Amino acid sequence: MELNERKQKILEAIIRNYMETGEPVGSRTVSKYTDLNLSSATIRNEMSDLEEMGYILQPHTSAGRIPSDKAYRLYVDTMLESKDQEVEEMKELLVEKADKIDLLLKQVAKLLAQNTNYTSMVTKPKYEHKKIKFIQLNQIAEHQLLVLIVLDNNHVNNKFIDLMDDIEEGALAQLNFMINAALNGLDFTEINMAIMQQIKEKAGEYGDLAASILDCVSEVMTEEDDSEIFTSGATNILKYPELTDKERMTELLSTFEEKQMLAAWANDKTADENQEHAIQVYIGEESPVETMKDCSVVTATYQIKEGVYGKIGIVGPKRMDYEKVVGTLENCMQQLDDIFKKKT
């Protein structure tokens, strides 16, 4: 006897219903639980076949059926196979639709919101350690100097210095060369007082100017990254009555739309970025975002390469399905790991 698609759907309905209620499942219950549009008599015949095949048991003469160990084994194997396929499809979709980080992260936010029915947040990657790639000095006006500072993440930063005195073109070039020779490739933590003092001494009569240039470098290296945050599924919160109070709902929607308040979450250092994926669960008052004190927030950290990481968060009611959300995030992190390894 063959376990065809119809029998599989009826068996799945019995298993799922029994897992939820712990009560034997009858044909009438199955008819409401599937989209097969079969009569109770037809379902009873199929259930008899399933019993004969060893997939379901009848604990009492007039009772409904319960799944056998054989049924659970089939369900688990099928479920795992389905999950593996879902993971592969998600990976293919991400790779297909995202040839750039921004597109990839927007797609991640959208997929997470769709898969969980909650709201998702994804930050662009931040650089934990910034290194100087090069510095370029340009006199753009008689008494104004442009200091162009390029970091190893290829971010370009412009700073301006007002000059008290004129500086010869050759002297400016020498100063530019000397500063680059001293600072190129250094992380901010490696630029100590001794290095700065040495630069100022070598600059001679332009020591004060060198000090001003070093101040510009310091500003750039210590500035917080203005992380862009992608959100998706903000209106999903309307599905949960406890979050639909007019004032509370307006605050939440504004937070997801304007995003400034999400900076507290993006810059939260509770999670250890060195810990793989660093999944954290914030419940109610634990949330780093003031407007989310009535919600639960589950976050994870993704890493593109050493020192380059970002955060992903899922926001929902306190009664959210934590097991599903954590599992979804772990799955997503694994797919991102695989994608970033291929790109690097």
Side-chain angles (χ1 to χ4, degrees), residues 25 40 66 72 110 117 133 138 143 184 193 195 197 219-220 237 247 249 306 310 312 314:
V25 183
S40 293
I66 65 174
Y72 285 126
K110 183 179 178 181
N117 262 330
K133 194 170 185 179
N138 295 296
H143 293 294
N184 279 13
M193 291 299 296
I195 291 175
Q197 186 59 37
E219 283 179 31
V220 168
I237 61 174
E247 183 178 349
M249 178 186 66
E306 187 176 355
I312 296 176
I314 295 177

Side-chain angles (χ1 to χ4, degrees), residues 65-336:
R65 270 54 164 203
I66 65 174
S68 67
D69 290 351
K70 182 179 179 180
Y72 285 126
R73 170 47 58 196
L74 177 67
Y75 175 74
V76 169
D77 290 347
T78 305
M79 178 187 68
L80 292 175
E81 184 179 332
S82 174
K83 289 296 179 186
D84 287 343
Q85 180 62 29
E86 185 181 316
V87 166
E88 201 57 39
E89 287 174 358
M90 182 179 183
K91 189 191 298 185
E92 289 174 5
L93 186 61
L94 289 175
V95 174
E96 178 186 344
K97 293 191 174 183
D99 56 346
K100 293 183 179 179
I101 292 292
D102 285 14
L103 293 177
L104 171 64
L105 297 179
K106 287 178 183 177
Q107 191 65 20
V108 167
K110 183 179 178 181
L111 287 171
L112 287 175
Q114 289 175 344
N115 289 348
T116 63
N117 262 330
Y118 302 128
T119 304
S120 64
M121 316 178 290
V122 182
T123 70
K124 287 182 69 172
K126 299 180 83 171
Y127 286 71
E128 189 175 18
H129 302 291
K130 300 176 184 176
K131 292 185 178 181
I132 296 173
K133 194 170 185 179
F134 69 87
I135 297 168
Q136 181 64 45
L137 306 178
N138 295 296
Q139 189 167 353
I140 58 173
E142 187 177 355
H143 293 294
Q144 194 170 51
L145 184 70
L146 169 65
V147 182
L148 188 145
I149 304 164
V150 182
L151 303 180
D152 65 334
N153 57 6
N154 290 324
H155 283 191
V156 178
N157 303 268
N158 297 321
K159 298 290 181 180
F160 297 92
I161 296 175
D162 293 324
L163 299 172
M164 301 299 295
D165 302 304
D166 293 335
I167 180 171
E168 294 180 4
E169 187 176 334
L172 185 61
Q174 286 183 345
L175 185 61
N176 202 155
F177 176 80
M178 181 192 64
I179 290 176
N180 274 285
L183 299 183
N184 279 13
L186 292 186
D187 185 272
F188 178 67
T189 57
E190 299 173 306
I191 304 174
N192 54 38
M193 291 299 296
I195 291 175
M196 291 191 288
Q197 186 59 37
Q198 188 178 40
I199 291 172
K200 284 188 265 188
E201 289 175 0
K202 284 186 177 180
E205 62 180 300
Y206 299 111
D208 289 342
L209 177 56
S212 297
I213 295 168
L214 290 172
D215 286 342
C216 292
V217 173
S218 179
E219 283 179 31
V220 168
M221 300 290 270
T222 55
E223 281 174 355
E224 280 291 334
D225 292 333
D226 186 17
S227 285
E228 189 173 353
I229 302 173
F230 306 116
T231 60
S232 185
T235 55
N236 282 344
I237 61 174
L238 303 178
K239 299 176 181 177
Y240 305 98
E242 62 266 46
L243 299 178
T244 54
D245 170 81
K246 186 175 181 180
E247 183 178 349
R248 185 180 301 157
M249 178 186 66
T250 301
E251 287 180 346
L252 270 173
L253 290 176
S254 296
T255 299
F256 293 125
E257 185 176 343
E258 297 173 9
K259 301 180 183 178
Q260 294 95 328
M261 293 187 70
L262 295 180
W265 163 69
N267 297 318
D268 181 51
K269 298 295 182 182
T270 303
D272 178 9
E273 286 86 10
N274 295 319
Q275 177 186 338
E276 187 175 8
H277 299 161
I279 289 183
Q280 299 282 316
V281 179
Y282 303 89
I283 301 172
E285 293 295 327
E286 298 170 355
S287 173
V289 183
E290 185 61 35
T291 55
M292 296 179 187
K293 299 298 184 183
D294 294 313
C295 304
S296 282
V297 185
V298 183
T299 71
T301 303
Y302 69 85
Q303 188 176 58
I304 295 180
K305 60 182 181 180
E306 187 176 355
V308 185
Y309 63 90
K311 298 178 77 172
I312 296 176
I314 295 177
V315 183
K318 293 179 187 176
R319 61 183 173 93
M320 72 158 53
D321 187 339
Y322 294 97
E323 185 176 0
K324 177 181 179 180
V325 169
V326 170
T328 301
L329 277 178
E330 287 179 338
N331 178 20
C332 180
M333 293 301 100
Q334 187 59 57
Q335 306 323 309
L336 288 177

Side-chain angles (χ1 to χ4, degrees), residues 10-27 30 47-48 50-72:
I10 291 173
L11 179 59
E12 183 177 349
I14 294 171
I15 293 171
R16 287 184 176 275
N17 194 272
Y18 184 71
M19 287 169 67
E20 288 179 7
T21 66
E23 298 291 332
V25 183
S27 57
V30 173
M47 289 173 71
S48 294
L50 288 169
E51 186 175 0
E52 187 178 334
M53 296 168 72
Y55 286 108
I56 56 176
L57 308 170
Q58 189 173 25
H60 307 291
T61 306
S62 59
R65 270 54 164 203
I66 65 174
S68 67
D69 290 351
K70 182 179 179 180
Y72 285 126

